[in-house]
PDB file of all heavy atoms in Angstrom:
ATOM      1  N   ASP A  12      -0.116 -12.570  12.280  1.00 93.00           N
ATOM      2  CA  ASP A  12       0.039 -11.120  12.120  1.00 93.00           C
ATOM      3  C   ASP A  12      -0.496 -10.640  10.774  1.00 93.00           C
ATOM      4  O   ASP A  12      -0.043  -9.621  10.249  1.00 93.00           O
ATOM      5  CB  ASP A  12       1.516 -10.724  12.234  1.00 93.00           C
ATOM      6  CG  ASP A  12       2.083 -11.011  13.604  1.00 93.00           C
ATOM      7  OD1 ASP A  12       1.307 -10.966  14.576  1.00 93.00           O
ATOM      8  OD2 ASP A  12       3.285 -11.286  13.702  1.00 93.00           O
ATOM      9  N   ARG A  13      -1.441 -11.358  10.200  1.00 95.00           N
ATOM     10  CA  ARG A  13      -1.865 -11.085   8.824  1.00 95.00           C
ATOM     11  C   ARG A  13      -2.329  -9.638   8.633  1.00 95.00           C
ATOM     12  O   ARG A  13      -1.968  -9.000   7.647  1.00 95.00           O
ATOM     13  CB  ARG A  13      -2.963 -12.057   8.388  1.00 95.00           C
ATOM     14  CG  ARG A  13      -4.259 -11.992   9.187  1.00 95.00           C
ATOM     15  CD  ARG A  13      -5.289 -12.993   8.645  1.00 95.00           C
ATOM     16  NE  ARG A  13      -5.566 -12.786   7.243  1.00 95.00           N
ATOM     17  CZ  ARG A  13      -6.426 -11.903   6.767  1.00 95.00           C
ATOM     18  NH1 ARG A  13      -7.086 -11.119   7.615  1.00 95.00           N
ATOM     19  NH2 ARG A  13      -6.616 -11.763   5.483  1.00 95.00           N
ATOM     20  N   LEU A  14      -3.110  -9.105   9.563  1.00 96.00           N
ATOM     21  CA  LEU A  14      -3.620  -7.747   9.393  1.00 96.00           C
ATOM     22  C   LEU A  14      -2.516  -6.713   9.573  1.00 96.00           C
ATOM     23  O   LEU A  14      -2.501  -5.679   8.899  1.00 96.00           O
ATOM     24  CB  LEU A  14      -4.765  -7.488  10.366  1.00 96.00           C
ATOM     25  CG  LEU A  14      -6.041  -8.311  10.107  1.00 96.00           C
ATOM     26  CD1 LEU A  14      -7.119  -7.978  11.122  1.00 96.00           C
ATOM     27  CD2 LEU A  14      -6.557  -8.073   8.687  1.00 96.00           C
ATOM     28  N   ASP A  15      -1.579  -6.996  10.468  1.00 96.00           N
ATOM     29  CA  ASP A  15      -0.441  -6.096  10.649  1.00 96.00           C
ATOM     30  C   ASP A  15       0.439  -6.101   9.402  1.00 96.00           C
ATOM     31  O   ASP A  15       0.907  -5.044   8.946  1.00 96.00           O
ATOM     32  CB  ASP A  15       0.371  -6.519  11.867  1.00 96.00           C
ATOM     33  CG  ASP A  15       1.585  -5.625  12.085  1.00 96.00           C
ATOM     34  OD1 ASP A  15       1.404  -4.418  12.250  1.00 96.00           O
ATOM     35  OD2 ASP A  15       2.718  -6.148  12.068  1.00 96.00           O
ATOM     36  N   ILE A  16       0.654  -7.281   8.838  1.00 97.00           N
ATOM     37  CA  ILE A  16       1.443  -7.382   7.609  1.00 97.00           C
ATOM     38  C   ILE A  16       0.741  -6.655   6.475  1.00 97.00           C
ATOM     39  O   ILE A  16       1.371  -5.903   5.715  1.00 97.00           O
ATOM     40  CB  ILE A  16       1.689  -8.858   7.239  1.00 97.00           C
ATOM     41  CG1 ILE A  16       2.617  -9.514   8.256  1.00 97.00           C
ATOM     42  CG2 ILE A  16       2.278  -8.975   5.834  1.00 97.00           C
ATOM     43  CD1 ILE A  16       2.752 -11.014   8.094  1.00 97.00           C
ATOM     44  N   TYR A  17      -0.566  -6.836   6.368  1.00 97.00           N
ATOM     45  CA  TYR A  17      -1.319  -6.146   5.314  1.00 97.00           C
ATOM     46  C   TYR A  17      -1.187  -4.632   5.473  1.00 97.00           C
ATOM     47  O   TYR A  17      -0.937  -3.912   4.496  1.00 97.00           O
ATOM     48  CB  TYR A  17      -2.790  -6.562   5.365  1.00 97.00           C
ATOM     49  CG  TYR A  17      -3.625  -5.942   4.255  1.00 97.00           C
ATOM     50  CD1 TYR A  17      -3.657  -6.503   2.980  1.00 97.00           C
ATOM     51  CD2 TYR A  17      -4.366  -4.792   4.485  1.00 97.00           C
ATOM     52  CE1 TYR A  17      -4.401  -5.925   1.961  1.00 97.00           C
ATOM     53  CE2 TYR A  17      -5.113  -4.199   3.465  1.00 97.00           C
ATOM     54  CZ  TYR A  17      -5.135  -4.782   2.210  1.00 97.00           C
ATOM     55  OH  TYR A  17      -5.867  -4.205   1.201  1.00 97.00           O
ATOM     56  N   ALA A  18      -1.352  -4.154   6.695  1.00 97.00           N
ATOM     57  CA  ALA A  18      -1.254  -2.715   6.950  1.00 97.00           C
ATOM     58  C   ALA A  18       0.126  -2.182   6.590  1.00 97.00           C
ATOM     59  O   ALA A  18       0.261  -1.092   6.006  1.00 97.00           O
ATOM     60  CB  ALA A  18      -1.568  -2.417   8.419  1.00 97.00           C
ATOM     61  N   GLN A  19       1.183  -2.931   6.918  1.00 97.00           N
ATOM     62  CA  GLN A  19       2.541  -2.490   6.588  1.00 97.00           C
ATOM     63  C   GLN A  19       2.774  -2.494   5.081  1.00 97.00           C
ATOM     64  O   GLN A  19       3.476  -1.618   4.549  1.00 97.00           O
ATOM     65  CB  GLN A  19       3.563  -3.382   7.284  1.00 97.00           C
ATOM     66  CG  GLN A  19       3.648  -3.176   8.788  1.00 97.00           C
ATOM     67  CD  GLN A  19       4.823  -3.926   9.392  1.00 97.00           C
ATOM     68  OE1 GLN A  19       5.970  -3.723   9.001  1.00 97.00           O
ATOM     69  NE2 GLN A  19       4.539  -4.807  10.323  1.00 97.00           N
ATOM     70  N   MET A  20       2.212  -3.475   4.374  1.00 98.00           N
ATOM     71  CA  MET A  20       2.353  -3.491   2.917  1.00 98.00           C
ATOM     72  C   MET A  20       1.662  -2.270   2.307  1.00 98.00           C
ATOM     73  O   MET A  20       2.207  -1.625   1.396  1.00 98.00           O
ATOM     74  CB  MET A  20       1.780  -4.786   2.335  1.00 98.00           C
ATOM     75  CG  MET A  20       2.598  -6.029   2.640  1.00 98.00           C
ATOM     76  SD  MET A  20       2.132  -7.493   1.652  1.00 98.00           S
ATOM     77  CE  MET A  20       0.474  -7.836   2.263  1.00 98.00           C
ATOM     78  N   VAL A  21       0.459  -1.957   2.792  1.00 98.00           N
ATOM     79  CA  VAL A  21      -0.256  -0.781   2.287  1.00 98.00           C
ATOM     80  C   VAL A  21       0.538   0.487   2.580  1.00 98.00           C
ATOM     81  O   VAL A  21       0.672   1.366   1.715  1.00 98.00           O
ATOM     82  CB  VAL A  21      -1.667  -0.701   2.900  1.00 98.00           C
ATOM     83  CG1 VAL A  21      -2.329   0.640   2.580  1.00 98.00           C
ATOM     84  CG2 VAL A  21      -2.531  -1.847   2.382  1.00 98.00           C
ATOM     85  N   ASP A  22       1.091   0.597   3.791  1.00 97.00           N
ATOM     86  CA  ASP A  22       1.901   1.774   4.142  1.00 97.00           C
ATOM     87  C   ASP A  22       3.083   1.931   3.187  1.00 97.00           C
ATOM     88  O   ASP A  22       3.410   3.046   2.755  1.00 97.00           O
ATOM     89  CB  ASP A  22       2.418   1.661   5.577  1.00 97.00           C
ATOM     90  CG  ASP A  22       1.335   1.914   6.613  1.00 97.00           C
ATOM     91  OD1 ASP A  22       0.261   2.420   6.235  1.00 97.00           O
ATOM     92  OD2 ASP A  22       1.578   1.595   7.792  1.00 97.00           O
ATOM     93  N   ALA A  23       3.731   0.817   2.862  1.00 97.00           N
ATOM     94  CA  ALA A  23       4.886   0.872   1.969  1.00 97.00           C
ATOM     95  C   ALA A  23       4.477   1.303   0.562  1.00 97.00           C
ATOM     96  O   ALA A  23       5.183   2.086  -0.096  1.00 97.00           O
ATOM     97  CB  ALA A  23       5.578  -0.489   1.921  1.00 97.00           C
ATOM     98  N   LEU A  24       3.324   0.817   0.088  1.00 98.00           N
ATOM     99  CA  LEU A  24       2.836   1.211  -1.236  1.00 98.00           C
ATOM    100  C   LEU A  24       2.473   2.691  -1.265  1.00 98.00           C
ATOM    101  O   LEU A  24       2.754   3.400  -2.239  1.00 98.00           O
ATOM    102  CB  LEU A  24       1.633   0.359  -1.629  1.00 98.00           C
ATOM    103  CG  LEU A  24       1.893  -1.138  -1.849  1.00 98.00           C
ATOM    104  CD1 LEU A  24       0.589  -1.872  -2.159  1.00 98.00           C
ATOM    105  CD2 LEU A  24       2.904  -1.362  -2.967  1.00 98.00           C
ATOM    106  N   VAL A  25       1.832   3.152  -0.192  1.00 98.00           N
ATOM    107  CA  VAL A  25       1.483   4.570  -0.100  1.00 98.00           C
ATOM    108  C   VAL A  25       2.754   5.429  -0.148  1.00 98.00           C
ATOM    109  O   VAL A  25       2.839   6.422  -0.889  1.00 98.00           O
ATOM    110  CB  VAL A  25       0.688   4.863   1.188  1.00 98.00           C
ATOM    111  CG1 VAL A  25       0.617   6.367   1.454  1.00 98.00           C
ATOM    112  CG2 VAL A  25      -0.724   4.282   1.076  1.00 98.00           C
ATOM    113  N   ALA A  26       3.752   5.052   0.649  1.00 97.00           N
ATOM    114  CA  ALA A  26       4.985   5.841   0.730  1.00 97.00           C
ATOM    115  C   ALA A  26       5.692   5.915  -0.616  1.00 97.00           C
ATOM    116  O   ALA A  26       6.216   6.977  -0.995  1.00 97.00           O
ATOM    117  CB  ALA A  26       5.914   5.248   1.791  1.00 97.00           C
ATOM    118  N   ASP A  27       5.719   4.807  -1.342  1.00 97.00           N
ATOM    119  CA  ASP A  27       6.461   4.778  -2.603  1.00 97.00           C
ATOM    120  C   ASP A  27       5.666   5.383  -3.757  1.00 97.00           C
ATOM    121  O   ASP A  27       6.149   6.275  -4.454  1.00 97.00           O
ATOM    122  CB  ASP A  27       6.858   3.348  -2.949  1.00 97.00           C
ATOM    123  CG  ASP A  27       7.804   3.290  -4.134  1.00 97.00           C
ATOM    124  OD1 ASP A  27       8.996   3.587  -3.947  1.00 97.00           O
ATOM    125  OD2 ASP A  27       7.342   2.975  -5.254  1.00 97.00           O
ATOM    126  N   TYR A  28       4.438   4.890  -3.958  1.00 97.00           N
ATOM    127  CA  TYR A  28       3.689   5.282  -5.153  1.00 97.00           C
ATOM    128  C   TYR A  28       2.925   6.599  -4.976  1.00 97.00           C
ATOM    129  O   TYR A  28       2.892   7.416  -5.906  1.00 97.00           O
ATOM    130  CB  TYR A  28       2.719   4.166  -5.558  1.00 97.00           C
ATOM    131  CG  TYR A  28       3.435   2.938  -6.067  1.00 97.00           C
ATOM    132  CD1 TYR A  28       3.702   1.858  -5.223  1.00 97.00           C
ATOM    133  CD2 TYR A  28       3.866   2.869  -7.388  1.00 97.00           C
ATOM    134  CE1 TYR A  28       4.377   0.744  -5.684  1.00 97.00           C
ATOM    135  CE2 TYR A  28       4.544   1.754  -7.858  1.00 97.00           C
ATOM    136  CZ  TYR A  28       4.798   0.690  -7.005  1.00 97.00           C
ATOM    137  OH  TYR A  28       5.483  -0.404  -7.465  1.00 97.00           O
ATOM    138  N   ALA A  29       2.298   6.790  -3.825  1.00 97.00           N
ATOM    139  CA  ALA A  29       1.482   7.996  -3.635  1.00 97.00           C
ATOM    140  C   ALA A  29       2.316   9.199  -3.203  1.00 97.00           C
ATOM    141  O   ALA A  29       2.116  10.304  -3.705  1.00 97.00           O
ATOM    142  CB  ALA A  29       0.378   7.723  -2.612  1.00 97.00           C
ATOM    143  N   VAL A  30       3.241   8.991  -2.263  1.00 97.00           N
ATOM    144  CA  VAL A  30       4.011  10.121  -1.731  1.00 97.00           C
ATOM    145  C   VAL A  30       5.244  10.406  -2.590  1.00 97.00           C
ATOM    146  O   VAL A  30       5.411  11.508  -3.111  1.00 97.00           O
ATOM    147  CB  VAL A  30       4.419   9.848  -0.268  1.00 97.00           C
ATOM    148  CG1 VAL A  30       5.285  10.988   0.255  1.00 97.00           C
ATOM    149  CG2 VAL A  30       3.185   9.664   0.603  1.00 97.00           C
ATOM    150  N   LYS A  31       6.096   9.405  -2.762  1.00 97.00           N
ATOM    151  CA  LYS A  31       7.363   9.623  -3.472  1.00 97.00           C
ATOM    152  C   LYS A  31       7.146   9.877  -4.962  1.00 97.00           C
ATOM    153  O   LYS A  31       7.705  10.814  -5.535  1.00 97.00           O
ATOM    154  CB  LYS A  31       8.268   8.424  -3.258  1.00 97.00           C
ATOM    155  CG  LYS A  31       9.626   8.550  -3.940  1.00 97.00           C
ATOM    156  CD  LYS A  31      10.481   7.308  -3.659  1.00 97.00           C
ATOM    157  CE  LYS A  31      11.822   7.393  -4.370  1.00 97.00           C
ATOM    158  NZ  LYS A  31      12.638   6.172  -4.104  1.00 97.00           N
ATOM    159  N   ARG A  32       6.321   9.034  -5.606  1.00 96.00           N
ATOM    160  CA  ARG A  32       6.153   9.156  -7.064  1.00 96.00           C
ATOM    161  C   ARG A  32       4.985  10.059  -7.461  1.00 96.00           C
ATOM    162  O   ARG A  32       4.786  10.318  -8.640  1.00 96.00           O
ATOM    163  CB  ARG A  32       5.961   7.769  -7.681  1.00 96.00           C
ATOM    164  CG  ARG A  32       7.098   6.796  -7.438  1.00 96.00           C
ATOM    165  CD  ARG A  32       7.059   5.705  -8.472  1.00 96.00           C
ATOM    166  NE  ARG A  32       7.549   4.445  -7.955  1.00 96.00           N
ATOM    167  CZ  ARG A  32       7.592   3.313  -8.636  1.00 96.00           C
ATOM    168  NH1 ARG A  32       7.144   3.285  -9.886  1.00 96.00           N
ATOM    169  NH2 ARG A  32       8.046   2.205  -8.096  1.00 96.00           N
ATOM    170  N   ARG A  33       4.182  10.453  -6.486  1.00 96.00           N
ATOM    171  CA  ARG A  33       3.065  11.375  -6.727  1.00 96.00           C
ATOM    172  C   ARG A  33       2.035  10.784  -7.708  1.00 96.00           C
ATOM    173  O   ARG A  33       1.564  11.451  -8.624  1.00 96.00           O
ATOM    174  CB  ARG A  33       3.578  12.729  -7.222  1.00 96.00           C
ATOM    175  CG  ARG A  33       4.571  13.390  -6.289  1.00 96.00           C
ATOM    176  CD  ARG A  33       5.147  14.661  -6.869  1.00 96.00           C
ATOM    177  NE  ARG A  33       4.148  15.732  -6.882  1.00 96.00           N
ATOM    178  CZ  ARG A  33       3.956  16.604  -5.898  1.00 96.00           C
ATOM    179  NH1 ARG A  33       4.705  16.532  -4.797  1.00 96.00           N
ATOM    180  NH2 ARG A  33       3.053  17.549  -5.990  1.00 96.00           N
ATOM    181  N   LEU A  34       1.674   9.529  -7.489  1.00 96.00           N
ATOM    182  CA  LEU A  34       0.666   8.855  -8.292  1.00 96.00           C
ATOM    183  C   LEU A  34      -0.589   8.632  -7.455  1.00 96.00           C
ATOM    184  O   LEU A  34      -0.529   8.675  -6.223  1.00 96.00           O
ATOM    185  CB  LEU A  34       1.175   7.496  -8.782  1.00 96.00           C
ATOM    186  CG  LEU A  34       2.535   7.465  -9.492  1.00 96.00           C
ATOM    187  CD1 LEU A  34       2.908   6.037  -9.831  1.00 96.00           C
ATOM    188  CD2 LEU A  34       2.507   8.333 -10.730  1.00 96.00           C
ATOM    189  N   MET A  35      -1.722   8.376  -8.101  1.00 97.00           N
ATOM    190  CA  MET A  35      -2.883   7.900  -7.351  1.00 97.00           C
ATOM    191  C   MET A  35      -2.727   6.390  -7.193  1.00 97.00           C
ATOM    192  O   MET A  35      -2.516   5.664  -8.171  1.00 97.00           O
ATOM    193  CB  MET A  35      -4.199   8.199  -8.064  1.00 97.00           C
ATOM    194  CG  MET A  35      -5.398   7.556  -7.345  1.00 97.00           C
ATOM    195  SD  MET A  35      -7.002   7.916  -8.090  1.00 97.00           S
ATOM    196  CE  MET A  35      -7.400   9.439  -7.212  1.00 97.00           C
ATOM    197  N   LEU A  36      -2.817   5.928  -5.963  1.00 98.00           N
ATOM    198  CA  LEU A  36      -2.738   4.508  -5.657  1.00 98.00           C
ATOM    199  C   LEU A  36      -4.149   3.939  -5.585  1.00 98.00           C
ATOM    200  O   LEU A  36      -4.975   4.425  -4.827  1.00 98.00           O
ATOM    201  CB  LEU A  36      -2.012   4.293  -4.323  1.00 98.00           C
ATOM    202  CG  LEU A  36      -1.939   2.862  -3.778  1.00 98.00           C
ATOM    203  CD1 LEU A  36      -1.196   1.960  -4.750  1.00 98.00           C
ATOM    204  CD2 LEU A  36      -1.262   2.866  -2.407  1.00 98.00           C
ATOM    205  N   SER A  37      -4.405   2.904  -6.375  1.00 97.00           N
ATOM    206  CA  SER A  37      -5.739   2.304  -6.455  1.00 97.00           C
ATOM    207  C   SER A  37      -5.653   0.831  -6.073  1.00 97.00           C
ATOM    208  O   SER A  37      -4.934   0.055  -6.711  1.00 97.00           O
ATOM    209  CB  SER A  37      -6.284   2.445  -7.879  1.00 97.00           C
ATOM    210  OG  SER A  37      -7.567   1.893  -8.002  1.00 97.00           O
ATOM    211  N   VAL A  38      -6.376   0.447  -5.014  1.00 98.00           N
ATOM    212  CA  VAL A  38      -6.299  -0.906  -4.471  1.00 98.00           C
ATOM    213  C   VAL A  38      -7.683  -1.547  -4.504  1.00 98.00           C
ATOM    214  O   VAL A  38      -8.668  -0.944  -4.075  1.00 98.00           O
ATOM    215  CB  VAL A  38      -5.772  -0.897  -3.019  1.00 98.00           C
ATOM    216  CG1 VAL A  38      -5.776  -2.299  -2.427  1.00 98.00           C
ATOM    217  CG2 VAL A  38      -4.366  -0.301  -2.975  1.00 98.00           C
ATOM    218  N   LEU A  39      -7.756  -2.780  -5.012  1.00 96.00           N
ATOM    219  CA  LEU A  39      -9.010  -3.538  -5.006  1.00 96.00           C
ATOM    220  C   LEU A  39      -8.795  -4.836  -4.250  1.00 96.00           C
ATOM    221  O   LEU A  39      -8.207  -5.786  -4.767  1.00 96.00           O
ATOM    222  CB  LEU A  39      -9.479  -3.833  -6.433  1.00 96.00           C
ATOM    223  CG  LEU A  39     -10.767  -4.662  -6.544  1.00 96.00           C
ATOM    224  CD1 LEU A  39     -11.932  -3.936  -5.879  1.00 96.00           C
ATOM    225  CD2 LEU A  39     -11.100  -4.968  -7.998  1.00 96.00           C
ATOM    226  N   PRO A  40      -9.252  -4.916  -2.979  1.00 95.00           N
ATOM    227  CA  PRO A  40      -9.121  -6.171  -2.228  1.00 95.00           C
ATOM    228  C   PRO A  40     -10.068  -7.229  -2.774  1.00 95.00           C
ATOM    229  O   PRO A  40     -11.065  -6.924  -3.439  1.00 95.00           O
ATOM    230  CB  PRO A  40      -9.530  -5.773  -0.797  1.00 95.00           C
ATOM    231  CG  PRO A  40      -9.568  -4.279  -0.783  1.00 95.00           C
ATOM    232  CD  PRO A  40      -9.871  -3.864  -2.183  1.00 95.00           C
ATOM    233  N   ARG A  41      -9.770  -8.481  -2.481  1.00 95.00           N
ATOM    234  CA  ARG A  41     -10.664  -9.548  -2.915  1.00 95.00           C
ATOM    235  C   ARG A  41     -11.845  -9.647  -1.949  1.00 95.00           C
ATOM    236  O   ARG A  41     -11.828  -9.085  -0.846  1.00 95.00           O
ATOM    237  CB  ARG A  41      -9.932 -10.881  -3.001  1.00 95.00           C
ATOM    238  CG  ARG A  41      -9.374 -11.437  -1.694  1.00 95.00           C
ATOM    239  CD  ARG A  41      -8.706 -12.774  -1.957  1.00 95.00           C
ATOM    240  NE  ARG A  41      -8.254 -13.427  -0.727  1.00 95.00           N
ATOM    241  CZ  ARG A  41      -7.822 -14.681  -0.670  1.00 95.00           C
ATOM    242  NH1 ARG A  41      -7.765 -15.402  -1.773  1.00 95.00           N
ATOM    243  NH2 ARG A  41      -7.437 -15.219   0.471  1.00 95.00           N
TER     244      ARG A  41
END
């Protein structure tokens, strides 16, 4: 379920940092 897990982790980061805290979320995959 690696891609599903990745998607859920990104969703959680978006919800906390971008929506709740009103920050720009910047992600650099390998």
Side-chain angles (χ1 to χ4, degrees):
D12 296 330
R13 62 179 303 277
L14 293 180
D15 179 59
I16 292 171
Y17 183 83
Q19 288 189 57
M20 289 193 293
V21 170
D22 286 347
L24 294 177
V25 166
D27 189 77
Y28 291 96
V30 177
K31 181 179 178 181
R32 301 201 212 178
R33 303 175 72 91
L34 308 177
M35 174 178 271
L36 175 61
S37 180
V38 176
L39 178 61
R41 63 179 185 170

